[in-house]
């Protein structure tokens, strides 16, 4: 008999559905309010004109902080997406046996910040050419992803990827490895991960970009 822990040694290789951990039916218990925005409900209800964006750009602690600092962002929630295991724990995701990557769900006021603005932040806050890692954080849970909640987001994300690739190539970087796809289910992370760096200001933040900017013509659309 081969144990799951013996199936996958290399955390840079995505598991198959058969190899993935079984997970659980019960989602994590989350606080009702956003820790930074205080009276704002973490998961809604929200007013009518909000948009929902999902990004994975490495460790979700630092990524979430940068998005909640952006004017026009209404709420942020960290979680796991893109894999097989339902409602995984952080430890299960770190095992490399869920297929998930760490993501941030960004809820934003479309009158104050556009999806194009958020895409520019996404590209510029990390190095999207590194495959199954981000800086010193290595493994499938740190891969770069954009999960789109509308057809318009999907089209805009793909166009921005092409534009940013051109700028990266000029600067000597390789090919973008970011996965761009329709949004799968996001399984929200444990309560202690939510707004982690607001609760632990000296905590770890692995966010760091390439120094290459998205052309202004692609921002704010």
């Amino acid at each position: 008999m081969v144990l799951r822990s013996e199936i996958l040694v290399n955390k840079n290789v995505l598991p198959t559905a058969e190899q993935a951990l079984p997970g659980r039916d019960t989602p994590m218990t989350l606080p009702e309010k956003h820790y930074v925005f205080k009276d704002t409900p973490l998961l809604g209800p929200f007013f009518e004109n909000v948009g929902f964006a999902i990004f994975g750009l490495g460790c979700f602690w630092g990524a979430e902080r940068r998005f909640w600092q952006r004017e026009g962002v209404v709420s942020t929630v960290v979680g796991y997406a893109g894999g097989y295991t339902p409602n995984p724990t952080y430890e299960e995701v770190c095992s490399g046996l869920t297929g998930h990557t760490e993501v941030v769900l960004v809820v934003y006021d479309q009158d104050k910040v556009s999806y194009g603005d958020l895409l520019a932040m996404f590209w510029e806050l990390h190095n999207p050419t590194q495959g199954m890692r981000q800086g010193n954080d290595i493994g499938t849970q740190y891969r770069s992803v954009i999960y789109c909640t509308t057809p318009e987001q999907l089209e805009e994300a793909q166009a921005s990827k092409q534009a940013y690739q051109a700028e990266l190539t000029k600067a000597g970087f390789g090919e973008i490895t970011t996965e761009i796809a329709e949004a799968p289910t996001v399984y929200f992370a444990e309560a202690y991960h939510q707004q982690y760096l607001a609760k632990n200001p000296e905590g770890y933040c692995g966010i760091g970009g390439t120094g290459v900017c998205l052309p202004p013509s692609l921002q704010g659309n």
Side-chain angles (χ1 to χ4, degrees), residues 3 15 62 68 70 82 91 109 116 140 154-155 168 185 219:
L3 299 176
W68 84 52
R70 180 67 190 240
E91 289 73 20
D109 183 341
T140 55
L154 186 61
E155 182 178 351
L168 287 173
T185 300
Q219 300 184 28

Side-chain angles (χ1 to χ4, degrees), residues 105-121:
L105 169 65
V106 181
V107 186
Y108 60 102
D109 183 341
Q110 297 182 93
D111 288 332
K112 295 182 178 179
V113 62
S114 71
Y115 187 63
D117 293 327
L118 299 178
L119 282 171
M121 288 183 64

Side-chain angles (χ1 to χ4, degrees), residues 150-179:
T150 67
E152 293 76 17
Q153 283 190 3
L154 186 61
E155 182 178 351
E156 193 168 349
Q158 290 169 337
S160 72
K161 175 184 175 181
Q162 292 182 346
Y164 197 57
Q165 181 65 71
E167 299 304 310
L168 287 173
T169 300
K170 292 176 189 176
F173 289 91
E175 293 295 311
I176 288 174
T177 60
T178 302
E179 175 190 355

Side-chain angles (χ1 to χ4, degrees), residues 81-153:
Y84 302 105
T85 303
N87 300 301
T89 65
Y90 181 67
E91 289 73 20
E92 288 171 341
V93 173
C94 289
S95 77
L97 286 169
T98 68
H100 291 302
T101 189
E102 297 185 17
V103 298
V104 183
L105 169 65
V106 181
V107 186
Y108 60 102
D109 183 341
Q110 297 182 93
D111 288 332
K112 295 182 178 179
V113 62
S114 71
Y115 187 63
D117 293 327
L118 299 178
L119 282 171
M121 288 183 64
F122 168 81
W123 294 119
E124 295 170 10
L125 283 174
H126 77 306
N127 184 340
T129 70
Q130 294 187 316
M132 300 298 182
R133 62 185 287 255
Q134 194 57 218
N136 293 326
D137 294 326
I138 299 173
T140 55
Q141 78 193 77
Y142 301 112
R143 68 188 188 274
S144 175
V145 302
I146 303 172
Y147 290 138
C148 303
T149 61
T150 67
E152 293 76 17
Q153 283 190 3

Side-chain angles (χ1 to χ4, degrees), residues 9 23-25 29 32 36 44 47 74 84 86 100 128 144 147 157 160-161 175 213:
V9 176
R24 56 201 48 80
D25 295 331
T29 301
E32 292 185 5
V36 175
F47 53 88
V74 175
Y84 302 105
H100 291 302
S144 175
Y147 290 138
S160 72
K161 175 184 175 181
E175 293 295 311
C213 295

